[in-house]
Amino acid sequence: MADWLYIVVSVAIAAFVGGVTNHFAIKMLFHPRSPVMIGKWRVPFTPGLIPKRREDIAESLGNVVSDYLVTAEGLQDMVMRPEFRLQAEEKLGELLNRWVSSSLTVKEAALRIWSEEEWEAVKGRSASALTAILQYGFRHAWHKYGWEQKPLKSLVPGWSENNRQVWSEAAADAILDAVAEELLSSQGQRLLAKMAAGLADNAGGFLGTMAAIFMDEEKLVQKLTPTLVRALQGEEARAKVASAIRARMEIYGEKPVGEVLRSLAGSEPEAWIGQKLDELPLEAWIAKAEGVKLASLLEPWYSQAAAAVPSLANRMLRLIARVIPPAMKAIRLPQLVKEQVQKFPVERLEEVILSVSGKEFRAITWLGVLLGGMIGLIQSLLLLWVGR
């Protein structure tokens, strides 16, 4: 054989062997999928590297992801970045604008999130939660700030001489107007007639007998009613009633809150107030609020809400940042990644890797051809030189 032909054949064979070797080495990363058995003997290097070491790869990948890629510190840093905060403010602003311009009622908006049954359950839980919050808040403040021993005037906002004067006059007007209205009603007229008859009966003797004979109770009531109403609406009566109310307010203002409530309720004030809080019709109020439009609730407070958006976004992001570490521990990220990798089909994994690194793998194959060819060339030259 001619020397040049010997060199060409040697280079071709070595290049072919190098290329095929690298090609099969790459294929053996994924193939075969399962062990190849000849009787009881397992063919070496089966299954392929990735199918065989799938659990180890999954565990290592889970540790890498949790330790280096998706860490609590990294997520916290991302959440607290200024650009992330700006995006949160923008989203909250858009949400507020949609709600303000929305024609949806509270119930219609809620049903976009929950089903009818879920919304009913949410209302029940909300009413129970509000009752519990009110009970806890009241009892906490009652004991922490010692409301039971504090004078009433210290807990009533705006307690002053001028305000007590205004309150007593308003109370006197309301009481006297109610009494005058009651006297002018049919029930009030019957009450006056009964009082007139009782007055004649109680007079006794000759005077009582004469009054019973000659007095017309109906006419007497008709004459007395305007006089009584004018007296009730007069300045003197209003001043005296207002003065009496103001004096009582001064007395009760100095008394402890617990004593005032105990005298009014006839029971321990803490238990009485707790019972009244339990009796609040919160479910009925929530049901009534269902028909209110979101826009009507938000529109009066739009400017304040818009101004509060940056602060709200910052607080939300800080809360999220605080929750991230325990949430990461709760979801057990390494285990989660391991389980997901184990569930991932090897066929799909091969497609993903080849789609990303296909050019590199082909380059490795051709590198095997090049190296094989170079080795074949060197080997053939060396053998020709030695043979001579």
Side-chain angles (χ1 to χ4, degrees):
M1 180 183 296
D3 291 347
W4 66 269
L5 182 59
Y6 174 73
I7 294 173
V8 170
V9 171
S10 298
V11 170
I13 293 173
F16 176 77
V17 171
V20 170
T21 301
N22 282 11
H23 175 75
F24 277 103
I26 293 171
K27 285 294 183 181
M28 287 177 68
L29 293 172
F30 308 97
H31 300 275
R33 312 286 192 205
S34 56
V36 176
M37 306 296 295
I38 300 177
K40 295 183 179 181
W41 180 69
R42 181 176 63 85
V43 176
F45 307 110
T46 63
L49 177 63
I50 290 178
K52 183 178 181 180
R53 305 294 299 275
R54 187 172 182 176
E55 290 190 4
D56 296 335
I57 293 172
E59 184 175 355
S60 299
L61 187 58
N63 293 332
V64 169
V65 170
S66 62
D67 294 340
Y68 300 102
L69 300 181
V70 185
T71 63
E73 294 78 9
L75 291 176
Q76 287 177 318
D77 181 65
M78 181 191 70
V79 167
M80 297 309 298
R81 288 176 183 172
E83 57 269 20
F84 195 90
R85 184 169 62 249
L86 289 175
Q87 291 180 3
E89 292 176 9
E90 182 179 348
K91 295 298 181 183
L92 286 176
E94 292 176 357
L95 181 62
L96 177 62
N97 291 329
R98 281 205 307 270
W99 284 353
V100 169
S101 59
S102 173
S103 60
L104 296 175
T105 63
V106 172
K107 183 176 182 179
E108 291 170 344
L111 291 180
R112 292 194 170 189
I113 304 173
W114 298 287
S115 65
E116 188 76 36
E117 295 77 12
E118 290 172 339
W119 172 237
E120 292 298 325
V122 167
K123 289 195 299 181
R125 290 196 299 268
S126 299
S128 301
L130 284 173
T131 301
I133 292 171
L134 289 173
Q135 288 281 4
Y136 174 79
F138 158 68
R139 296 185 189 280
H140 178 73
W142 181 264
H143 293 287
K144 181 178 180 180
Y145 301 110
W147 284 357
E148 185 174 6
Q149 303 301 325
K150 286 189 175 183
L152 180 64
K153 65 181 182 181
S154 66
L155 296 182
V156 177
W159 186 278
S160 65
E161 183 67 29
N162 291 335
N163 285 338
R164 288 200 302 276
Q165 177 72 25
V166 173
W167 295 340
S168 60
E169 290 177 356
D173 290 342
I175 292 171
L176 293 176
D177 290 343
V179 172
E181 186 178 347
E182 182 66 21
L183 289 177
L184 292 172
S185 66
S186 58
Q187 187 176 354
Q189 293 294 292
R190 286 194 297 271
L191 177 62
L192 288 177
K194 185 177 180 180
M195 292 174 61
L199 181 62
D201 293 340
N202 293 331
F206 177 75
L207 182 60
T209 303
M210 295 300 293
I213 294 173
F214 294 104
M215 185 179 67
D216 187 341
E217 296 173 359
E218 185 177 348
K219 290 184 178 179
L220 178 61
V221 169
Q222 291 177 355
K223 291 182 177 295
L224 281 175
T225 300
T227 303
L228 289 173
V229 171
R230 282 196 299 271
L232 291 172
Q233 293 178 343
E235 291 299 327
E236 184 178 359
R238 291 180 182 273
K240 289 183 177 181
V241 173
S243 177
I245 294 174
R246 187 167 60 255
R248 281 293 175 183
M249 289 176 65
E250 292 175 358
I251 294 172
Y252 281 109
E254 299 296 335
K255 290 184 177 182
V257 173
E259 181 181 342
V260 175
L261 292 177
R262 196 174 290 109
S263 63
L264 293 175
S267 59
E268 286 300 315
E270 183 179 355
W272 180 74
I273 295 176
Q275 180 184 355
K276 294 302 178 184
L277 290 176
D278 284 334
E279 294 174 357
L280 290 175
L282 294 178
E283 291 189 4
W285 292 349
I286 293 175
K288 188 176 181 180
E290 285 182 321
V292 179
K293 290 188 175 182
L294 284 175
S296 64
L297 291 175
L298 296 173
E299 209 166 11
W301 307 95
Y302 176 75
S303 57
Q304 294 91 327
V309 164
S311 175
L312 178 60
N314 188 47
R315 291 184 180 182
M316 287 177 58
L317 294 178
R318 288 184 180 277
L319 177 61
I320 293 172
R322 287 199 299 268
V323 170
I324 285 175
M328 295 281 287
K329 291 181 180 179
I331 64 176
R332 296 185 300 173
L333 186 60
Q335 182 66 23
L336 179 63
V337 174
K338 179 180 177 181
E339 292 174 357
Q340 294 302 314
V341 172
Q342 288 176 340
K343 292 178 182 178
F344 202 74
V346 177
E347 296 83 358
R348 178 60 181 157
L349 181 61
E350 181 181 4
E351 292 178 7
V352 172
I353 294 177
L354 291 178
S355 66
V356 173
S357 305
K359 291 182 179 180
E360 287 76 10
F361 285 156
R362 285 193 293 272
I364 291 172
T365 302
W366 285 109
L367 179 62
V369 173
L370 177 61
L371 291 176
M374 291 175 63
I375 292 172
L377 176 62
I378 295 172
Q379 181 182 1
S380 61
L381 292 175
L382 182 61
L383 289 175
L384 288 174
W385 178 72
V386 171
R388 291 181 180 180

